[in-house]
Amino acid sequence: MRLTNKKAIVTGGAGGIGRASSLALAAEGASVAVVDLNIEAAEGVAAEIREAGGVALAVAADVSDEQDIERVVATVLAEFGGVDVVFNNAGIIRRTTAVETTVEEWDRVFGVNVRSIFLMCKHVVPVMESAGGGSIINTGSGWGLKGGGRALSYCASKGAVVNMTRALAIDHGPAGIRVNSVNPGDVNTGMLRDEARQLAQDTSSFLAEAADRPLRRMGEPEEVAQAVVWLASDESSYVTGSAMVVDGGGIA
Ligand code: NAI
């Protein structure tokens, strides 16, 4: 058990990568707060963890909202007594070019993908500082490193995630807080199916295209979760400001 006595927050914890990471963190001994807009699904993940003998709670929140983030941190402090690990993972995608993107959609993508991380760090870093450290992991994307087509706001937001991760690592490293991004390629979750819908493409051919990479398949959420567990654990004690790529070789 690599995370015994650690207390973790996972945002977007009801979705594909968030659920797998919540289960994996709990399996290593962490108490996990599963945070999501979809409270029913978050409750389901928390119940799965408890059924497996772990400790979990579900919290409803819109991660782009500061009051919600303050309530999440206060709830976790009241229930778990601290926060050692935060996985800022909630995210949305809009498959549109600059011409097709509305200002409202641009702001929403940045609210959920970027402002959320700023807000969580604003409220959780002081807690970690007073405890002597912690590990923050942010979900970027391969497209935050190399860009991609017809997803302008998403690519811009994920580029911001990668670079804000480095800036956070510089600011808070002296307090013992490590901050890293995990950057998946195509992973078998609801998001990929949502993209196929947005692009009006056949889901199975869209998923087949996602497998066109050196390892010849898309990733599974559990494979991203193992990178998250490692970054959360003391095994990665000298790793901060990094952009870990988990993409089957798609960036190569
Ligand atoms: P998903 O759609 O399965 O899960 C996302 C979760 O975030 C959902 O449970 C959703 O309810 C929640 N969420 C959305 N907006 C929220 C908000 N405002 N407040 C709280 N929760 C909210 O997607 P997936 O694939 O698990 O994505 C997780 C992260 O991984 C995202 O940041 C995504 O951009 C990133 N990613 C995913 C890739 C993929 O191929 N699936 C590839 C690269 C990055």
Side-chain angles (χ1 to χ4, degrees):
M1 301 275 261
R2 291 180 284 171
L3 298 170
T4 305
N5 294 328
K6 303 274 192 202
K7 288 110 181 162
I9 294 174
V10 178
T11 73
I17 293 170
R19 171 182 168 275
S21 300
S22 296
L23 295 174
L25 291 165
E28 292 290 344
S31 303
V32 179
V34 182
V35 177
D36 207 286
L37 263 184
N38 183 342
I39 186 60
E40 274 177 34
E43 294 281 11
V45 175
E48 275 187 84
I49 290 173
R50 284 189 219 106
E51 277 156 28
V55 177
L57 79 125
V59 190
D62 178 343
V63 291
S64 69
D65 183 287
E66 184 168 22
Q67 286 183 347
D68 278 16
I69 292 291
E70 285 185 279
R71 182 172 45 75
V72 166
V73 175
T75 304
V76 172
L77 285 177
E79 297 285 329
F80 293 165
V83 184
D84 305 290
V85 174
V86 175
F87 182 29
N88 286 309
N89 164 73
I92 56 172
I93 191 165
R94 294 289 176 267
R95 293 301 309 264
T96 50
T97 64
V99 176
E100 297 160 341
T101 304
T102 66
V103 170
E104 290 73 23
E105 282 171 338
W106 175 276
D107 288 346
R108 183 64 182 157
V109 168
F110 267 74
V112 177
N113 295 5
V114 182
R115 184 170 62 207
S116 58
I117 296 177
F118 149 60
L119 291 173
M120 183 63 85
C121 290
K122 183 175 172 64
H123 293 286
V124 96
V125 161
V127 174
M128 289 182 168
E129 274 175 351
S130 57
S135 174
I136 297 172
I137 303 135
N138 302 321
T139 306
S141 166
W143 280 11
L145 295 163
K146 66 173 183 176
R150 215 169 162 192
L152 182 79
S153 56
Y154 184 79
C155 293
S157 73
K158 292 301 188 175
V161 171
V162 171
N163 208 33
M164 76 196 285
T165 297
R166 298 190 188 110
L168 288 159
I170 291 166
D171 283 342
H172 306 298
I177 301 170
R178 298 185 297 109
V179 192
N180 295 285
S181 64
V182 63
N183 296 275
D186 288 319
V187 178
N188 189 11
T189 72
M191 181 172 276
L192 280 193
R193 287 159 182 80
D194 182 33
E195 286 181 64
R197 266 193 304 277
Q198 289 185 38
L199 294 167
Q201 283 186 19
D202 171 63
T203 305
S204 50
S205 44
F206 187 81
L207 295 181
E209 267 177 45
D212 183 20
R213 55 191 63 236
L215 290 185
R216 291 289 181 269
R217 62 179 178 84
M218 61 185 156
E220 293 301 325
E222 291 73 19
E223 296 177 291
V224 181
Q226 287 309 313
V228 173
V229 165
W230 185 72
L231 289 170
S233 78
D234 294 339
E235 290 176 5
S236 59
S237 53
Y238 200 53
V239 180
T240 195
S242 78
M244 180 181 281
V245 176
V246 183
D247 73 343
I251 297 248

